[in-house]
Amino acid sequence: MKLPKFLRRLLNGRQMVLIKKDFREMWYNPVVRSMLVVVPLVFVVLLPILFMVLANLLPASSVSGMEQMRTLLSEKQSYMNDRQSLFYIYSDCLAPMLYLIVPLMTACVTAASSFVGEKERGTIETLFLTPLTTREIFNSKVLGCVGLSALVSLLSFVLYAIVMSIGDILLGVTAFLADPIWLPMVFLLSPALILFGVLFMVLVSGRSHSFMESVQICGYVLLPLILLYVGQFTGTFRLTVLHYLLLGLLIGAVDCVIWKITSAHFTPEKLLR
């Protein structure tokens, strides 16, 4: 597998060998492979298509319960019929959460496979006997997980953009194409969440004894994100471009702190417990 050019510039030859080994082990693990391929496809392709089809099958007006759901729309969307309203609410209130789960989940899964999986396979001792320093091992594993998760997230967004653009055209709305929240979400908040997910898994890797145990811990990371969008879906508040910018900057600042903590505590003694 040929690694991205930016990774080849950041890392030396020994680190590149380690990253390739990690990628190969992730690919040959059916659980990891399915969570990196199948789950993103479900969230960014199948569910949007399902909503698009449902919206097209509904009658153009007088859908039961739509009056209550219309309270989630602003005056700018008051012209929409029920089909358009349903698709817009999905795009504005639910789809961002489903998309953000992808970078956070892929980061946690790749980090769990790279760090905890190494312990589970009994190869962590061998790794520390190689010419790689502890710092090189930490940097190569973190950057490898971040790079792979970023690639999966970017491809997921491209697929999502294609599907939602088709939905916009078919339903005659601008639910996705004119929504500015995706710029800070994709290029600021998503990378910040990826780094947070990887570093979080590094923090808990010393206490986890199996890959599946680490994956279950991912649920604790996803919970705040889900609660954030539940509040939006119930109409308590609306997330704007400014909110996404602030969230991205806040999580980026938290990442800097966690990076220092994890790199300082990444020692063979703690991983070999």
Side-chain angles (χ1 to χ4, degrees):
M1 181 188 297
K2 191 173 181 180
L3 298 174
K5 188 179 291 184
F6 77 95
L7 278 180
R8 297 200 297 272
R9 289 178 177 173
L10 281 174
L11 306 166
N12 61 40
R14 297 191 300 271
Q15 291 174 297
M16 295 298 295
V17 171
L18 178 57
I19 290 178
K20 287 181 180 177
K21 178 191 81 68
D22 281 351
F23 284 8
R24 189 165 50 249
E25 288 170 348
M26 289 177 200
W27 185 250
Y28 286 113
N29 185 325
V31 177
V32 178
R33 190 169 63 237
S34 65
M35 296 186 81
L36 293 180
V37 177
V38 178
V39 175
L41 283 177
V42 170
F43 282 174
V44 303
V45 177
L46 293 183
L47 285 178
I49 290 177
L50 179 62
F51 250 84
M52 197 189 330
V53 171
L54 286 174
N56 273 291
L57 291 177
L58 289 175
S61 60
S62 302
V63 177
S64 176
M66 273 309 296
E67 283 305 317
Q68 190 175 358
M69 296 189 72
R70 277 182 175 278
T71 58
L72 298 173
L73 302 175
S74 66
E75 290 184 3
K76 292 181 180 178
Q77 291 90 42
S78 58
Y79 71 92
M80 293 180 178
N81 60 35
D82 286 351
R83 290 176 178 174
Q84 295 169 326
S85 298
L86 185 65
F87 187 70
Y88 186 91
I89 290 169
Y90 169 79
S91 175
D92 192 51
C93 297
L94 191 57
M97 179 192 72
L98 295 175
Y99 171 73
L100 287 177
I101 286 177
V102 172
L104 193 52
M105 186 197 65
T106 53
C108 291
V109 170
T110 54
S113 174
S114 180
F115 288 90
V116 184
E118 201 86 60
K119 290 172 58 179
E120 193 176 29
R121 293 187 291 271
T123 54
I124 190 71
E125 295 89 347
T126 307
L127 187 60
F128 284 117
L129 294 176
T130 64
L132 284 161
T133 65
T134 304
R135 180 68 54 203
E136 286 176 332
I137 293 172
F138 175 80
N139 289 339
S140 56
K141 281 184 171 291
V142 169
L143 291 177
C145 293
V146 169
L148 181 58
S149 303
L151 179 63
V152 173
S153 302
L154 190 59
L155 290 175
S156 299
F157 175 71
V158 171
L159 292 174
Y160 173 78
I162 293 172
V163 173
M164 294 301 288
S165 298
I166 293 173
D168 278 5
I169 294 170
L170 291 177
L171 289 161
V173 294
T174 52
F176 170 76
L177 292 173
D179 195 341
I181 65 169
W182 290 97
L183 283 176
M185 189 184 303
V186 173
F187 297 107
L188 180 62
L189 182 55
S190 176
L193 282 175
I194 288 173
L195 186 55
F196 177 81
V198 171
L199 295 175
F200 176 80
M201 293 310 296
V202 177
L203 274 178
V204 302
S205 62
R207 299 177 181 177
S208 300
H209 298 90
S210 69
F211 167 73
M212 291 308 298
E213 181 183 343
S214 299
V215 171
Q216 290 171 359
I217 296 175
C218 292
Y220 297 108
V221 183
L222 294 175
L223 189 58
L225 180 66
I226 294 171
L227 292 176
L228 180 67
Y229 281 93
V230 167
Q232 180 173 248
F233 198 72
T234 56
T236 307
F237 55 83
R238 297 300 294 270
L239 292 170
T240 64
V241 174
L242 180 61
H243 292 137
Y244 283 108
L245 283 172
L246 293 176
L247 275 174
L249 292 174
L250 176 64
I251 296 174
V254 173
D255 289 342
C256 294
V257 176
I258 300 180
W259 180 288
K260 287 192 175 182
I261 295 173
T262 51
S263 60
H265 290 79
F266 187 81
T267 61
E269 292 77 13
K270 290 193 175 181
L271 289 173
L272 292 173
R273 285 176 183 170

